[in-house]
Amino acid sequence: MSNSHNQESSYLDYKGRFKGIFAWIFSTDHKRIALLYLYSIATFFIVGALLGLAMKLELIAPGKTIMEAKTYNGVFTLHGITMIFLIVIPGLPAVFGNFLLPIMIGAKDVSFPRLNLLSWWVYIFGAAVAISSQFLGNGPPDTGWTFYAPYSFRTTTNMLPAVLGAFILGFSSILTGLNFIVTIHRMRAPGMSWLKMPLFPWALYGTAWIQLLATPIVGITLLMIVAERTLHIGFFDPTLGGDPVLYQHLFWIYSHPAVYIMILPAMGVISEILPTFARKPIFGYKAIVVSTLLIAFIGYFVWGHHMFTAGMSGTAQFAFSFLTFLVAIPSAIKVFNWIATLYKGSIQLKTPFYWAVSFLFVFMIGGLSGLVLGSLATNVHVHDTAFVVAHFHFIVFGGVGYAFFAALHYWFPKIYGKMYDEGWANTGWVIFFMGFLILYLPMFVLGIMGMPRRYFDYVDEFSRLNIVSSLGAILMIFGLIVIILNLVRSARYGKTAMANPWGGPTLEWQISSPPALENFNEIPVVSKDPYDFSNVKLG
Amino acid sequence: MDNKDNTHIVKYRTYLFVLITLIVFTFISVAITGIQLGKLAVVGALVLASFKSSLVLWYFMHLKYENQFLRLMVGLVLFVFIAVLIVTFFDYSFQ
Amino acid sequence: MSTVAVHRDDVGSKIGMWLFIFTELLLFGGLFIVYAVYRYKNPVAFHLAGEELDVTVGTLNTVILLISSATVAMSISAVQYGNKRATLSYLLITILLALFFMINKYFEWSGKFGHGMYPGSEKLTELGQGEVLFFGLYFAMTGLHALHIIIGVTILLIMLVRIMNNKINKTYFVQLENSGLYWHLVDIIWIFLFPLFYLIS
Amino acid sequence: MITSNLSNLARGVDTAFIVILSVIFFFLIGLTVVLIIFILRYRESKNPVASQIHGNNKLEIIWTVIPLLIVMAMFYFGWTGWKPMDSAPPDDAFEIETTARMWKWSFKYPNGKRLDTLVIPAGKPVSLNMNSLDVIHSIYIPAFRLKKDINPGSERNAWFIANTPGIYDLFCTEYCGLEHSSMISSVKVLSADEFESWYADSVSETHIAVKTEVSASSRGKQIVQQLGCNACHSADGTKIVGPSYLGVFGHEVTVIRDGKTVTVTADEDYIRRSILDPNFEIVEGYNKGLMLSYEDLLSDEELDLIVEYIKSLN
């Protein structure tokens, strides 16, 4: 097979049975599916970010500023649902997992390509159902993304489409996870033993297990809400004998591990980027693998720390707080390992590296502030306040968002075969980073002062910090605009990228940019460790 | 990739034997509830049900003949579920 | 030039099926957690409500499902022996037993409905809260289980056609195995539902 | 802000805060400094060739064990600081029945006093027996480090000792619908003597004080506002959660009663019924079960004033 032929049949130019957009939305190629996810997620992300901005503008001053309380409640609910179920949960696995997992383990595709395409269709269908809740009869749902009982039975708004949408999205998540597990088990290239697998696939493996084992629980819980609202079967409504706290148990049995569904792949991305730009192996590969699996496992049993004020038994509170502190350890190990990876490296200061390092910084703040929430006494004071919102955004937006942008810049040349404009990329990063800190840091203080979350209006003593926070939001949105415009422009007009612009050691850098339809002409035989830089060539 | 690691054919007789055992145990569990055992009835019924479902898993679902990995995963999933149940009861049984 | 070979990985698809079964188990697992908690909180009401269910019907259905589980397993042995006729007969028996199960279920449910016992009914709400929870769970869990039976029967019917067309044969039968796995899952769930609703009273 | 010592709960919570925040700042600053030093020292221009280090088991063990010890210490402080919140109230505690309903707090004292702010004595244990009538609410007094969810269908207790007289914020922190953020009140801590005389004075504040306004209808309007009725019912004809007051009185209304559609005239009785037994009949197009009876919260006199107010909106 000649090289020129190879160039022609890059996955972007491939002509299959269908033409135009159908060549994409009916393609079973994992790379095209990854881009389908990227574009859908980016669209939802812009909507979600604007909703977030609207909330911050409302909170810039006490009282009504730009919207009614009813609208505000609908806005934070929709912001939560889109951001959680449509963006951060599928985010990294569906976009970068799909694109890179097969390539990084030396396979031509995932195990079940058609199932993979089905996942995307289910995702779009679920998103459509969830979003339809905004436009039907009784107005947008106003329960928050947690759908707590019994309020979710009492509100007259369109709960059902929102809940069903989340249920359907769960299916998509499960199918992706299932596909990844089988792919990793069955399709690793010859010679790639488990401990020769790069860390991003490892992270996806841990994530996939959580997706598989936690999502059904929230699925059935959401179905119970549907049954309770439509058929009046008593599950959680106290007037029918139910226990609203049990709803919280079931909800968090999923939704706490869901945080690890979000953050594990982000950690995987960082574990890829740091070695490449430090030009040395990741520090303590095995420790990172083990901590990935430990986080996935222990993370399953700490859900109760969302419920320390809900009225659980003292024993349960004790146990959950203890387990929560345990799960901090593997995350701490990872941070130490990442920092140690830079020691005696030869660091190239490129955009993905900036994103990765700022990830480290915000992740440390997010993780350390989590200690306040894991501890019983302090949790009670800051639970359900702006502190939780700040912590959560540092982990989920700070963690996943930064990792997403890091990944986007890092693998951009591989995905599009073009380079982004570095000057604009760095400018966008600086503005975004500043805006992010100005937006969320004051919320920690507001929370400790006692400002409850999901408040449309607040007492005067909170107003100063809220102004700062809202101005930060505006700045951050500017940063986002710069970043996104730069990437969109570069995908079309950027300079042609080399196969391996960063000198990355993993398999995806050993094939052309953009990859050919089936990734590899011949399945590679792996004999090296994943982060062995001895024979890596730039270019 | 090897597709041939499961060529074991289970004999009809084995299935028949397992089926008879399952049915016998079904009647045993029905009979047990006739006796007033109080709290033990719950435990007894669940133990019997677990035994029956292990038979189904082991023979009907071929776990006996599958590779180690699958057995490990089934065990892990059951462990996770039971652990979640126990942790939930940290709340309810100490209220 | 390598041609795009049809990717076939029987072991992989079986692992995939098992993973799917795990999610199904945990889907019911959520309901079992709810059952366990409410039973723990309302032992007496659950005891009394359980007596309203007919043990004979429950036992009959258990036996039916157990036999159907065995026959679907036998059909896999049959296909491995290369005996198409036996494969088809075992599968047909399985499907007929499943239909029998559904007929039983239909009469049981319509009996309950006839007595004014259905979710949200006035008669039900007049009973204590424990009873409301018990019957809510009863309808939800056996209903979801029945839905799985319907899906299972549909899949088995498709298998039947594919065996007739020789799409499934001595060398390629992983689809039948996977359908069998699904059917056993339905069986396992019933093995737990039966004592929890019909027996513990 | 961080140490308040305004209640008996505050000391333990604040100790935990100080311990945890110290650890946080130590690690955050320390690690950030190390990170920056590494980036500056080992950037490509300074260090062109990277050393291929794969790891160091001794270091790994050290930075597993030390954080483990530190988090266990933090866990301990969190647990001891929390224990008083989980304990049973002392026998001599002053008991107050606390009722939360959509967007309103109500505190009922042993002598029958009832009001929407919490007035308590300093230095004496106060025990709140809390109920919710509709959805989950959560009582939060930041200054006292007190927070407990109130679930409908089960009573919960929270007890504390306020140390210093003053006025403090009281919030609902569990999202409870439209007017969640206005479900705020305050805690007035009086010195023991002041409290005694306030408590003995049966005239003041037994009910939501309505004295200043002149006409009956405007007094009714004030009650309606204080009870938070406007969250669901508008005065200008807008459809919110429930029907508007505008132009109801004296007109025909189509309602659903016992599953049957009936037309009734909205007279004084109808309005009283709608407030005291809201689910008896539901205006067509609205949902059942959203409003609960206000029987315990209103005197007959106040009810009359509300009726006058609604009459005035014709």
Side-chain angles (χ1 to χ4, degrees):
Chain A
M1 194 179 275
S2 70
N3 242 348
S4 64
H5 182 94
N6 203 359
Q7 284 303 326
E8 271 173 341
S9 62
S10 111
Y11 82 101
L12 290 170
D13 311 323
Y14 169 75
K15 303 263 186 310
R17 261 198 305 159
F18 303 102
K19 292 211 161 55
I21 189 170
F22 296 107
W24 286 82
I25 61 174
F26 293 131
S27 167
T28 56
D29 175 35
H30 66 101
K31 300 180 288 298
R32 288 198 169 190
I33 293 171
L35 289 196
L36 288 178
Y37 270 114
L38 177 63
Y39 301 141
S40 9
I41 284 174
T43 313
F44 295 130
F45 175 70
I46 290 168
V47 175
L50 291 177
L51 289 170
L53 179 68
M55 281 154 64
K56 290 299 346 176
L57 290 181
E58 170 55 43
L59 289 176
I60 203 163
K64 183 193 155 188
T65 37
I66 60 165
M67 58 177 102
E68 298 287 343
K70 194 175 168 62
T71 321
Y72 179 82
N73 295 344
V75 166
F76 77 64
T77 303
L78 185 63
H79 173 79
I81 294 175
T82 28
M83 285 298 193
I84 299 282
F85 294 112
L86 294 178
I87 296 154
V88 272
I89 287 182
L92 285 161
V95 177
F96 296 102
N98 257 327
F99 198 99
L100 292 153
L101 172 68
I103 307 182
M104 288 176 97
I105 63 171
K108 294 193 169 184
D109 207 321
V110 291
S111 272
F112 310 114
R114 275 180 295 180
L115 197 66
N116 203 10
L117 178 64
L118 179 70
S119 303
W120 180 75
W121 276 102
V122 173
Y123 168 80
I124 290 297
F125 178 60
V129 173
I131 290 171
S132 74
S133 66
Q134 299 299 310
F135 306 107
L136 297 172
N138 299 316
D142 63 342
T143 57
W145 73 281
T146 48
F147 309 124
Y148 266 20
Y151 183 71
S152 52
F153 306 130
R154 290 181 169 270
T155 178
T156 51
T157 51
N158 292 319
M159 281 295 300
L160 287 183
V163 170
L164 279 175
F167 175 77
I168 296 166
L169 288 165
F171 262 102
S172 161
S173 182
I174 287 174
L175 293 180
T176 305
L178 187 155
N179 218 335
F180 284 3
I181 293 178
V182 179
T183 307
I184 291 174
H185 272 279
R186 300 293 300 169
M187 312 229 352
R188 274 171 293 135
M192 183 176 277
S193 60
W194 283 97
L195 289 179
K196 285 205 169 68
M197 192 162 71
L199 288 164
F200 185 52
W202 259 117
L204 290 169
Y205 185 69
T207 310
W209 273 106
I210 314 177
Q211 283 175 305
L212 211 62
L213 298 188
T215 319
I217 306 255
V218 81
I220 193 70
T221 312
L222 295 174
L223 280 189
M224 283 189 254
I225 290 200
V226 173
E228 186 146 6
R229 261 184 91 96
T230 53
L231 303 172
H232 303 286
I233 300 184
F235 287 118
F236 307 118
D237 193 339
T239 52
L240 294 169
D243 177 5
V245 179
L246 183 59
Y247 172 80
Q248 297 176 23
H249 274 297
L250 290 169
F251 182 81
W252 290 113
I253 287 175
Y254 165 71
S255 296
H256 191 76
V259 177
Y260 299 105
I261 295 180
M262 305 168 195
I263 199 70
L264 277 180
M267 292 168 153
V269 167
I270 300 306
S271 308
E272 294 296 329
I273 292 176
L274 289 179
T276 299
F277 290 91
R279 310 212 54 71
K280 64 190 277 284
I282 189 96
F283 190 93
Y285 170 85
K286 277 184 197 161
I288 292 191
V289 170
V290 171
S291 58
T292 300
L293 297 178
L294 270 183
I295 288 175
F297 185 72
I298 308 175
Y300 216 102
F301 304 104
V302 300
W303 76 82
H305 65 229
H306 295 266
M307 301 163 58
F308 283 155
T309 65
M312 282 192 300
S313 75
T315 318
Q317 311 227 24
F318 182 91
F320 279 127
S321 174
F322 184 80
L323 289 167
T324 304
F325 274 111
L326 281 190
V327 83
I329 301 295
S331 307
I333 293 173
K334 286 199 177 196
V335 171
F336 296 138
N337 278 309
W338 287 325
I339 294 178
T341 302
L342 302 182
Y343 176 69
K344 293 205 173 168
S346 172
I347 299 169
Q348 316 169 62
L349 297 172
K350 297 279 170 57
T351 322
F353 180 78
Y354 288 134
W355 278 107
V357 167
S358 48
F359 166 93
L360 276 184
F361 181 68
V362 292
F363 181 72
M364 281 194 287
I365 297 179
L368 289 166
S369 63
L371 297 171
V372 173
L373 293 164
S375 147
L376 284 166
T378 48
N379 175 294
V380 169
H381 181 60
V382 293
H383 175 74
D384 260 332
T385 66
F387 188 96
V388 174
V389 182
H391 160 75
F392 182 70
H393 281 83
F394 262 92
I395 290 287
V396 171
F397 194 16
V400 182
Y402 280 59
F404 197 92
F405 284 118
L408 204 52
H409 287 91
Y410 180 54
W411 282 302
F412 191 86
K414 184 55 64 187
I415 295 174
Y416 291 103
K418 301 275 170 72
M419 287 304 285
Y420 58 83
D421 183 293
E422 187 149 7
W424 280 113
N426 290 344
T427 315
W429 168 73
V430 171
I431 301 175
F432 177 88
F433 189 37
M434 291 301 130
F436 181 89
L437 295 179
I438 299 170
L439 164 55
Y440 294 114
L441 283 177
M443 291 173 75
F444 281 121
V445 185
L446 280 170
I448 290 178
M449 285 167 69
M451 179 175 161
R453 66 195 280 214
R454 293 176 172 175
Y455 259 31
F456 160 74
D457 189 7
Y458 49 82
V459 295
D460 286 336
E461 64 204 73
F462 302 136
S463 69
R464 245 185 239 170
L465 285 168
N466 267 307
I467 294 174
V468 177
S469 172
S470 296
L471 293 177
I474 296 169
L475 188 62
M476 192 182 80
I477 293 286
F478 269 113
L480 274 178
I481 293 172
V482 174
I483 294 163
I484 293 172
L485 285 185
N486 177 42
L487 289 177
V488 170
R489 199 180 160 278
S490 303
R492 279 197 92 132
Y493 306 110
K495 281 187 291 183
T496 307
M498 297 174 288
N500 191 0
W502 317 122
T506 37
L507 281 176
E508 80 273 27
W509 299 113
Q510 320 310 324
I511 58 171
S512 56
S513 302
L517 180 68
E518 293 213 309
N519 305 341
F520 302 95
N521 294 332
E522 267 172 52
I523 293 296
V525 176
V526 178
S527 55
K528 299 192 302 178
D529 284 335
Y531 303 104
D532 182 343
F533 282 83
S534 50
N535 286 315
V536 173
K537 280 193 295 268
L538 268 169
Chain B
M1 216 166 300
D2 94 88
N3 280 319
K4 298 265 182 242
D5 71 351
N6 184 21
T7 47
H8 188 98
I9 305 179
V10 188
K11 296 194 174 64
Y12 295 135
R13 220 177 36 205
T14 317
Y15 287 138
L16 208 60
F17 185 70
V18 173
L19 175 63
I20 290 167
T21 320
L22 284 170
I23 292 175
V24 168
F25 272 93
T26 305
F27 286 114
I28 290 177
S29 60
V30 174
I32 277 184
T33 44
I35 321 161
Q36 293 297 325
L37 283 171
K39 277 213 164 156
L40 276 178
V42 185
V43 180
L46 283 179
V47 167
L48 286 175
S50 311
F51 175 70
K52 281 160 68 185
S53 50
S54 331
L55 281 181
V56 174
L57 280 168
W58 199 244
Y59 289 100
F60 288 178
M61 297 175 90
H62 295 177
L63 269 191
K64 184 178 178 201
Y65 317 102
E66 292 286 359
N67 59 27
Q68 197 67 31
F69 158 73
L70 263 183
R71 271 180 256 169
L72 201 73
M73 287 305 131
V74 174
L76 179 92
V77 170
L78 294 179
F79 174 80
V80 165
F81 175 70
I82 291 167
V84 165
L85 194 63
I86 290 172
V87 173
T88 310
F89 268 81
F90 274 153
D91 181 6
Y92 287 95
S93 48
F94 292 98
Q95 266 175 1
Chain C
M1 288 288 287
S2 65
T3 49
V4 182
V6 177
H7 173 72
R8 178 180 156 189
D9 177 9
D10 290 357
V11 176
S13 51
K14 224 192 295 174
I15 295 176
M17 190 64 206
W18 270 100
L19 295 176
F20 181 70
I21 282 175
F22 295 161
T23 68
E24 289 276 17
L25 282 174
L26 285 155
L27 189 82
F28 277 94
L31 282 167
F32 278 112
I33 292 174
V34 175
Y35 176 92
V37 167
Y38 287 152
R39 183 179 174 86
Y40 181 81
K41 293 181 89 174
N42 310 283
V44 180
F46 269 54
H47 175 97
L48 293 174
E51 284 181 349
E52 304 244 330
L53 298 179
D54 190 338
V55 181
T56 320
V57 178
T59 316
L60 183 62
N61 266 349
T62 311
V63 174
I64 289 171
L65 271 193
L66 288 174
I67 298 174
S68 77
S69 220
T71 51
V72 84
M74 287 174 180
S75 80
I76 295 165
S77 292
V79 81
Q80 282 174 297
Y81 286 128
N83 188 341
K84 186 174 163 184
R85 250 188 85 142
T87 316
L88 284 173
S89 340
Y90 283 125
L91 208 54
L92 204 61
I93 296 172
T94 313
I95 293 168
L96 290 176
L97 286 168
L99 294 178
F100 195 26
F101 179 94
M102 286 308 288
I103 292 167
N104 252 339
K105 190 97 260 175
Y106 169 77
F107 281 114
E108 199 187 3
W109 272 42
S110 55
K112 284 269 164 301
F113 282 23
H115 285 96
M117 302 279 277
Y118 51 88
S121 76
E122 269 179 41
K123 186 168 178 214
L124 198 54
T125 29
E126 276 168 19
L127 297 167
Q129 294 192 323
E131 275 88 350
V132 175
L133 292 173
F134 179 89
F135 281 105
L137 283 165
Y138 165 77
F139 284 116
M141 291 175 91
T142 57
L144 191 62
H145 180 257
L147 183 70
H148 278 75
I149 297 243
I150 293 169
I151 297 170
V153 169
T154 316
I155 294 172
L156 292 179
L157 280 171
I158 296 170
M159 291 305 117
L160 203 68
V161 175
R162 292 184 73 94
I163 295 166
M164 284 198 269
N165 297 342
N166 288 327
K167 292 261 174 59
I168 291 172
N169 52 49
K170 194 177 175 178
T171 52
Y172 181 64
F173 52 86
V174 67
Q175 290 182 347
L176 183 62
E177 276 188 295
N178 284 347
S179 318
L181 286 176
Y182 188 83
W183 193 252
H184 299 307
L185 162 86
V186 173
D187 189 25
I188 286 184
I189 289 163
W190 184 259
I191 286 178
F192 281 96
L193 289 181
F194 170 58
L196 288 181
F197 284 106
Y198 294 83
L199 289 187
I200 306 179
S201 55
Chain D
M1 183 60 219
I2 196 72
T3 50
S4 73
N5 201 27
L6 292 170
S7 78
N8 65 324
L9 306 174
R11 184 185 296 269
V13 174
D14 293 348
T15 312
F17 257 118
I18 289 166
V19 171
I20 294 172
L21 288 178
S22 318
V23 173
I24 288 178
F25 279 109
F26 174 77
F27 274 97
L28 182 62
I29 295 168
L31 290 172
T32 309
V33 168
V34 173
L35 190 61
I36 292 170
I37 291 174
F38 280 0
I39 295 170
L40 294 179
R41 251 190 88 183
Y42 301 116
R43 64 184 194 271
E44 205 174 14
S45 51
K46 287 256 176 164
N47 192 30
V49 180
S51 316
Q52 301 299 308
I53 305 164
H54 288 267
N56 181 330
N57 286 340
K58 206 186 276 175
L59 263 177
E60 297 274 6
I61 291 169
I62 291 173
W63 67 44
T64 308
V65 172
I66 292 182
L68 190 65
L69 297 176
I70 295 173
V71 295
M72 285 304 110
M74 287 191 278
F75 164 71
Y76 173 78
F77 281 103
W79 180 54
T80 49
W82 160 85
K83 263 199 287 189
M85 303 177 194
D86 197 40
S87 59
D91 291 337
D92 62 334
F94 187 80
E95 293 197 24
I96 299 171
E97 297 297 322
T98 305
T99 309
R101 64 191 300 157
M102 269 173 176
W103 319 317
K104 202 74 198 163
W105 295 99
S106 163
F107 304 97
K108 191 180 170 194
Y109 290 77
N111 70 352
K113 247 181 202 289
R114 191 198 334 245
L115 58 159
D116 59 357
T117 47
L118 181 60
V119 181
I120 53 167
K124 194 171 182 319
V126 172
S127 168
L128 306 177
N129 295 320
M130 306 183 293
N131 267 309
S132 164
L133 298 182
D134 35 42
V135 299
I136 304 176
H137 299 281
S138 183
I139 189 167
Y140 180 33
I141 308 172
F144 299 165
R145 312 289 186 251
L146 174 91
K147 184 182 287 147
K148 270 192 182 176
D149 290 8
I150 312 169
N151 300 318
S154 56
E155 181 163 285
R156 268 199 102 184
N157 176 273
W159 78 272
F160 60 95
I161 305 169
N163 290 336
T164 321
I167 295 176
Y168 308 99
D169 291 327
L170 185 155
F171 299 121
C172 171
T173 49
E174 183 61 62
Y175 176 68
C176 57
L178 190 65
E179 296 286 318
H180 169 53
S181 61
S182 54
M183 190 169 164
I184 58 181
S185 179
S186 48
V187 187
K188 202 191 260 181
V189 181
L190 303 175
S191 68
D193 297 341
E194 278 178 315
F195 182 78
E196 280 305 317
S197 58
W198 172 84
Y199 190 56
D201 177 6
S202 58
V203 186
S204 71
E205 297 184 86
T206 37
H207 273 298
I208 297 143
V210 204
K211 284 164 193 159
T212 47
E213 297 288 341
V214 193
S215 72
S217 65
S218 56
R219 282 163 68 190
K221 184 181 181 184
Q222 203 179 357
I223 297 171
V224 162
Q225 279 167 346
Q226 284 181 339
L227 284 171
C229 307
N230 293 349
C232 297
H233 304 276
S234 77
D236 58 1
T238 320
K239 178 180 171 177
I240 317 179
V241 180
S244 172
Y245 315 126
L246 185 72
V248 167
F249 191 81
H251 289 76
E252 302 266 288
V253 186
T254 313
V255 296
I256 294 162
R257 188 194 292 164
D258 292 337
K260 272 166 260 165
T261 311
V262 221
T263 309
V264 294
T265 311
D267 50 12
E268 294 194 5
D269 267 355
Y270 170 80
I271 290 168
R272 285 210 182 82
R273 269 205 311 277
S274 312
I275 297 170
L276 299 180
D277 189 6
N279 294 317
F280 175 66
E281 43 198 10
I282 301 290
V283 180
E284 203 171 31
Y286 293 90
N287 292 47
K288 196 175 173 169
L290 287 167
M291 181 172 161
L292 296 161
S293 169
Y294 276 73
E295 199 161 2
D296 297 338
L297 289 178
L298 290 168
S299 64
D300 285 345
E301 183 199 356
E302 287 168 331
L303 205 51
D304 290 338
L305 294 174
I306 295 178
V307 173
E308 285 308 314
Y309 168 57
I310 292 176
K311 272 187 191 170
S312 76
L313 288 172
N314 246 358

